[in-house]
Amino acid sequence: MTPITKMTEQIGRRKIDIDDPRFRIKPHQQIASACTGGIITSLIMTPLDVVKTRIQTQQKLLLSNKCFLYCNGLMDHLCPCGPNSAPMKNHVHLNGTIDAVLKISRSEGIKSLWSGLGPTLVSALPSTVIYFVSYEQIRNHTKDWHNKYIGTSGMPVYVPLFSGVLSRIFAVTLVSPLELIRTKMQSQKMTYKEMTTAVRSMINAEGALVLWKGLPPTIYRDVPFSGIYWSCYEALKWYYQVTEPTFGFSFTAGALSGSIAATITTPFDLIKTYQQIEFGEQVIYTDKPRQNIPIKTTTQRLKEVYRAHGVRGLFVGLGPRLAKVAPACAVMISSFEYGKSFFYNLNVHRYDEKLLIMQNVNNHAK
């Protein structure tokens, strides 16, 4: 048996380890995987959420100065529902999902099923990429630190928990000012020059921290969700001894992990939705001075809901939330993992090619 043949057989018997430092996914490959996953998620989930939101809010379309919320798996998207808004002008009564798809397509055009897709790709896609790449980088470095100083292999539960929490804080903090600017530009049709003037006025009046006005409730909802989600997902991979997840496994595990995280964090999502809707009604879609609007903390709002409706009131909307979160998580993580698997195998192939070339060179030199 020649040395090259022997090396080829050893390569074929190599155990798959997607976290092997020699073949680990590089940052630019993580970006490509996250970007692909984000695009696929938004393309699939946006029509489903548009239909769901239209059905849920059609009874309120006659109210003026109201707004409703799209959430297509990557971002929340405020839309006006006043008498001059597009949904009001083209209003038809919707009976179920299939009926809604047909009627919306006929009356408003099939493109309307992807309402909010543009802002998602421009605004939320970078946030998604930052989030997933940050998670992978923090997870890899934390795991390496654990293996080096603690001395045990595997994936301790604190690694995905810590990585998920830190990466989400980083992502939402970074894009929070952009979200505020995006929402205001969409609602008031501002030019970039007008937006710049408005932002300067806000900063002069209330300080630079006004750009992070909606950050606390977002952190209360998204950060626990992220920590729980990644902990559950990595635990499922460890339990079933999966090192390179198949599309089917990551899809199922992503849906299950997303459902668990969504259930636990529903009270915070409820409060976040209240605040976004109130912000749209009281600030974005009216001319009321901001100082005349009462500000309540997340804790105060949770207490109010609990006193009025009990524990059940804190979990209002859990069904619809699971209906959108579970498939969105499933599509996003399975697409992301598929991209990682592709780049992992590409890195392994390139590494093996280099080994064989070096071995061949050494044999000729002898």
Side-chain angles (χ1 to χ4, degrees), residues 64-66 184 188 202 206 277-294:
S64 61
N65 293 326
K66 298 293 181 183
K184 212 162 181 58
Q188 298 182 357
M202 290 168 60
E206 303 183 47
I277 297 298
E278 288 178 8
F279 182 77
E281 294 177 352
Q282 297 175 348
V283 179
I284 296 180
Y285 301 119
T286 67
D287 297 323
K288 284 185 180 181
R290 293 179 60 91
Q291 58 268 26
N292 295 338
I293 300 172

Side-chain angles (χ1 to χ4, degrees), residues 67-69 71 76 78 217 221 266-280 301 316 321 324:
C67 57
F68 58 87
L69 201 62
C71 184
D76 297 332
L78 279 170
R221 180 192 66 174
T266 290
F268 298 110
D269 181 66
L270 180 70
I271 301 306
K272 178 68 162 53
T273 301
Y274 283 173
Q275 291 182 328
Q276 284 179 310
I277 297 298
E278 288 178 8
F279 182 77
R301 291 175 183 271
V316 168
R321 178 164 160 76
K324 70 182 180 185

Side-chain angles (χ1 to χ4, degrees), residues 37 41-42 44-46 48-49 52-53 56 69-76 131-132 168 221-222 224-226 228-230 232-233 250-270 272-273 316-334:
T41 302
S42 58
I44 293 175
M45 294 305 300
T46 296
L48 298 177
D49 196 65
K52 177 187 67 67
T53 304
Q56 288 178 338
L69 201 62
Y70 286 149
C71 184
N72 56 17
L74 294 185
M75 68 180 287
D76 297 332
Y131 170 51
F132 274 83
R168 177 55 75 182
R221 180 192 66 174
D222 290 356
F225 179 96
S226 181
I228 296 167
Y229 172 78
W230 286 112
C232 292
Y233 183 74
S250 56
F251 188 93
T252 305
L256 181 58
S257 302
S259 298
I260 295 171
T263 300
I264 296 174
T265 59
T266 290
F268 298 110
D269 181 66
L270 180 70
K272 178 68 162 53
T273 301
V316 168
L318 176 59
R321 178 164 160 76
L322 290 176
K324 70 182 180 185
V325 169
C329 288
V331 172
M332 182 64 210
I333 192 63
S334 55

